[in-house]
Amino acid sequence: MTPNSTYDILIIGSGGAGLSLALHLAPFSKIAMISKGSLKEANTYYAQGGISAVLDKSDSLESHIGDTLLAGAGLCKKNIVEKVVAQGKACIEELHQKGVVFTHQKKADGHLEYHLTKEGGHSHRRVVHAADATGNAIQNSLVQRAIEHPNIELFDDHIAVDLITGNKLGLKNNQCFGAYIFDRKTEKVILVKSIFTVLATGGASKTYLYTSNPDISTGDGIAMAWRSGCRVANMEFIQFHPTCLYHPEAKSSLISEAVRGEGGLLTLPDGTRFMPDYHEKAELAPRDIVARAIDQEMKKRGIDCVYLDIHHKSPEFIKSHFPNLYSKCLKFGYDMTKQAIPVVPAAHYTCGGVVTDENAQTDIPHLYAIGEVASTGLHGANRMASNSLLECLAFARFAANDIKVKLNTDVTMPEIPEWDESQVTDSDEEVLVPHNWGELRRFMWDYVGIVRTNKRLERAQRRIKLLQHEIAEYYGHFKVTNDLLELRNLVTVAELIVESAMLRKESRGLHYTLDYPEKLATSSDTILIPKKTI
Ligand code: FAD
Ligand code: SIN
């Protein structure tokens, strides 16, 4: 990627959403795809459980739609749910054709069919998977296809700094014309122009101290879109996955919900089950309910973790269904075939994000957002398990169709200034970045976590203002680095989460506050509108 290059499409992010879109559009256009780390380092790579799709004869689209609406606690957009769920079978077929090998089982007649698992909130087995490492299978296949395609140029270690829009250039036409991008190897910011720009940057769970996500999940796309003038919605709905391995050295170690789907039970240290006291579906209740129940039991009893127990199943069953989880737990000293494993909840998924329409178009012309970065209306107040990969693939299709139609319209590229470093120097106080990073993630965990109160949110808001001031000052004086860019984005996302949480005067889905513990009879999305573009 050379400075001043112009592409038809710039895709920021090489996870499932970005890769799938690139492969749809590559036959028609010249594409640049950037990834801030390695091409494979994305949430998609770590997905375990699978992708939901209606494939079983006893299942139906209506049932999948109904379950999604129920989990979303009244805030899903029904037309979007219907549109996405209808794509399930086609998306699985698409992945199969791109070389993804899913787990199969033998039918009574000897033929093979997809093995389907069940997860929280689903009333049928409908999760297609590649053992317990579905994301790995998807990411490897899609990255390989993208590398092979002559129309896709891939750039790892390139982090988008900010979008370039008409407004920022002082034009009447507020179109997106590309982005400034920091090359982590040369440490230079380059200007990349594009007719269409797509945010496929994933979520923001790194805003929290404990998370199932890899380090890339710093909400960059949400923060960049917000600074450029896009609306952002439903940021209070941060999903905490109920079961991450509790071990000091097990960073970001998710234990798939599929373990509970296949009979895993949640217990207290003495072996007693507690989920039947909280919900009729017990361990397979929607995620918000399970995570909150665990949090409540841990706080009530002063215990550091609860336990996930599947050792009543045969060792063969456990090792064949969960080969990777089995090895991972063993590495940390826990044998799933013989004992219960210690688990805790951790930040897992950002349900809100950049507001898009049903074609993934944002408020800024020629700027799209797909995958976890977007707020499409599919998830409402709580995402149902395995609906996220489906959303990535379905919205990649919708965006591709929309962009394809518009590809041949004439766009005049305006004069765009190069990145200006003349006013900044190398930092003389880099300690500010890791210090503020650690502080932010800790108070977000303590004050804006699974259970919130007005007081805790106010405390977090005060601290965010202070950090924002310090970070803006630092950003204005010193050359950018990867960590500084991510910190700047994290603090913006934290502000949006807290502001949204303060606006919601009820408890609904993933947002639970002791000050308003009840769900209101009617409710709507929390939509934040930026006051100014930066
Ligand atoms: P990602 O896959 O996260 O990709 C984001 C990309 O954007 C990366 O390439 C990153 O480098 C890049 N990027 C970010 N910021 C910048 C920037 N500023 N500049 C350049 N590049 C940038 N969902 C399911 O449906 N089923 C599951 O079984 C499942 N299991 C999961 C297990 C784990 C452990 C985790 C963490 C999540 C799981 N999820 C699952 C959620 C799902 O994996 C994600 O929501 C989904 O993969 C998001 O895909 P994406 O393409 O939107 O983003
Ligand atoms: C899991 O395997 O438990 C994660 C599934 C998801 O987040 O959709």
Side-chain angles (χ1 to χ4, degrees), residues 48-49 119 241 254-258 287 348 383 385-387:
Q48 295 182 2
E119 291 178 320
H241 195 290
L254 186 82
I255 305 293
S256 177
E257 195 151 312
R287 253 179 217 176
H348 181 61
R383 175 185 68 105
S386 290
N387 267 355

Side-chain angles (χ1 to χ4, degrees), residues 63-85:
S63 171
H64 190 179
I65 292 164
D67 290 345
T68 302
L69 294 174
L70 197 66
L75 289 187
C76 299
K77 292 198 173 76
K78 191 157 182 251
N79 62 324
I80 298 292
V81 177
E82 287 167 351
K83 195 172 166 182
V84 171
V85 165

Side-chain angles (χ1 to χ4, degrees), residues 182-401:
F182 178 68
D183 178 341
R184 291 172 58 175
K185 289 175 190 141
T186 62
E187 300 191 346
K188 291 276 170 243
V189 178
I190 56 174
L191 159 64
V192 174
K193 299 174 193 168
S194 57
I195 314 290
F196 293 91
T197 305
V198 182
L199 295 169
T201 45
S205 289
K206 270 278 160 185
T207 320
Y208 289 86
L209 187 58
Y210 301 110
T211 171
S212 65
N213 286 200
D215 289 344
I216 56 106
S217 304
T218 49
D220 300 359
I222 299 172
M224 283 190 281
W226 175 255
R227 286 195 291 271
S228 301
C230 290
R231 285 171 304 152
V232 164
N234 288 348
M235 289 300 291
E236 68 274 38
F237 299 122
I238 300 293
Q239 183 172 75
F240 292 83
H241 195 290
T243 57
C244 285
L245 186 62
Y246 178 67
H247 187 284
E249 280 146 41
K251 192 183 166 212
S252 312
S253 275
L254 186 82
I255 305 293
S256 177
E257 195 151 312
V259 175
R260 278 173 282 136
E262 295 298 338
L265 302 173
L266 286 166
T267 66
L268 297 170
D270 67 0
T272 321
R273 280 178 76 194
F274 54 91
M275 275 315 299
D277 297 340
Y278 288 89
H279 196 273
E280 57 190 1
K281 288 189 175 166
E283 279 81 0
L284 287 178
R287 253 179 217 176
D288 55 324
I289 291 164
V290 183
R292 223 161 28 243
I294 295 175
D295 186 68
Q296 192 169 326
E297 290 296 328
M298 282 168 54
K299 289 201 171 118
K300 188 165 79 185
R301 296 168 196 278
I303 50 180
D304 292 332
C305 62
V306 296
Y307 290 82
L308 179 60
D309 194 354
I310 191 164
H311 89 282
H312 46 275
K313 294 272 184 180
S314 73
E316 296 71 41
F317 178 91
I318 295 172
K319 287 183 201 170
S320 65
H321 279 75
F322 307 111
N324 297 291
L325 287 177
Y326 171 73
S327 310
K328 183 159 70 179
C329 289
L330 211 52
K331 196 174 111 200
F332 291 107
Y334 304 109
D335 184 342
M336 284 171 81
T337 66
K338 296 201 174 96
Q339 65 191 130
I341 51 176
V343 291
V344 285
H348 181 61
Y349 187 84
T350 313
C351 285
V354 183
V355 174
T356 69
D357 69 10
E358 59 174 350
N359 295 318
Q361 167 73 59
T362 69
D363 291 339
I364 296 178
H366 289 223
L367 177 68
Y368 289 71
I370 53 171
E372 193 170 336
V373 66
S375 174
T376 63
L378 175 67
H379 306 307
N382 182 23
R383 175 185 68 105
M384 192 164 69
S386 290
N387 267 355
S388 168
L389 290 173
L390 174 61
E391 184 188 44
C392 289
L393 299 167
F395 268 90
R397 286 168 163 242
F398 306 150
N401 291 337

Side-chain angles (χ1 to χ4, degrees), residues 497-530:
I497 296 171
V498 171
E499 198 175 330
S500 306
M502 283 177 146
L503 287 170
R504 188 163 291 284
K505 308 286 185 213
E506 61 164 349
S507 289
R508 178 180 296 271
L510 298 161
H511 174 71
Y512 184 79
T513 163
L514 295 176
D515 291 305
Y516 312 102
E518 302 301 328
K519 190 153 84 177
L520 294 176
T522 57
S523 184
S524 56
D525 290 342
T526 308
I527 298 181
L528 303 179
I529 304 170

Side-chain angles (χ1 to χ4, degrees), residues 410-431:
D410 274 346
V411 171
T412 315
M413 232 352 121
E415 275 296 309
I416 303 174
E418 295 289 336
W419 185 256
D420 180 9
E421 274 195 341
S422 60
Q423 308 297 314
V424 293
T425 60
D426 285 320
S427 164
D428 59 356
E429 217 187 346
E430 268 179 42
V431 65

